[in-house]
Amino acid sequence: MAYSAKVMDHFSNPRNVGEMKDPSGVGEVGNPKCGDFMRMFLKVENNIITDVSFMTFGCGAAIATSSMATEMIKGKSIDDALKLTNKAVMEALDGLPPVKVHCSVLAEQAIKSAVADYYRRQGIDPTPIVGEIPECEACHV
Ligand code: FES
């Protein structure tokens, strides 16, 4: 299966790339299957994600899914961002080849990890809100 036009667009022209100054939360997750990793920065005001950026040291599918995921959570509430699944991101990109599904999990986990960091910085235990950040199931096959 070839990459969709949307995947190629977000891979060649990723949105919201780079480090953020004074973020409200930073998440970092790695993909044990390939060793790639991703850092996600959030700016939160009144429970709304007003800005988001990412740095992905990984494959094209990981870059495209991070780019799309940042577009999908920008301006949304934290609750909405936590509901974003890798499946929804893949659908927004018109799909990924099956061997690349595990790459999309990084973006979902990075958002959860950044939100968890945001709560931790405020002295709030993130686990009841964010839950355990699950390991990628596709990475165990
Ligand atoms: Fe590592 Fe895609 S191969 S994230």
Side-chain angles (χ1 to χ4, degrees):
M1 181 180 154
Y3 287 118
S4 72
K6 278 191 191 165
V7 172
M8 290 312 293
D9 175 32
H10 278 266
F11 167 56
S12 352
N13 178 26
R15 288 36 155 202
N16 310 309
V17 176
E19 205 161 346
M20 185 185 287
K21 266 194 169 178
D22 304 322
S24 312
V26 182
E28 197 169 286
V29 289
N31 187 330
K33 188 169 182 174
C34 60
D36 293 346
F37 73 99
M38 179 185 300
R39 204 170 285 153
M40 180 83 63
F41 304 87
L42 297 179
K43 187 91 76 188
V44 180
E45 282 164 42
N46 299 325
N47 218 37
I48 300 292
I49 296 169
T50 55
D51 200 10
V52 49
S53 68
F54 77 93
M55 292 162 78
T56 290
F57 305 90
C59 73
I63 290 168
T65 46
S66 335
S67 168
M68 179 56 94
T70 58
E71 290 280 271
M72 291 172 84
I73 65 167
K74 206 182 215 176
K76 299 274 169 57
S77 69
I78 287 183
D79 288 354
D80 284 345
L82 288 176
K83 284 186 203 132
L84 185 74
T85 61
N86 73 306
K87 198 164 167 270
V89 178
M90 282 195 299
E91 278 167 13
L93 286 167
D94 294 336
L96 280 176
V99 293
K100 286 285 163 187
V101 170
H102 72 100
C103 314
S104 69
V105 177
L106 267 189
E108 180 189 322
Q109 290 178 330
I111 292 169
K112 290 194 167 80
S113 169
V115 170
D117 182 52
Y118 164 70
Y119 282 121
R120 248 181 254 116
R121 288 179 188 213
Q122 297 178 69
I124 299 168
D125 176 10
T127 313
I129 306 163
V130 180
E132 298 289 342
I133 297 172
E135 280 212 13
C136 164
E137 281 170 30
C139 295
H140 299 295
V141 293

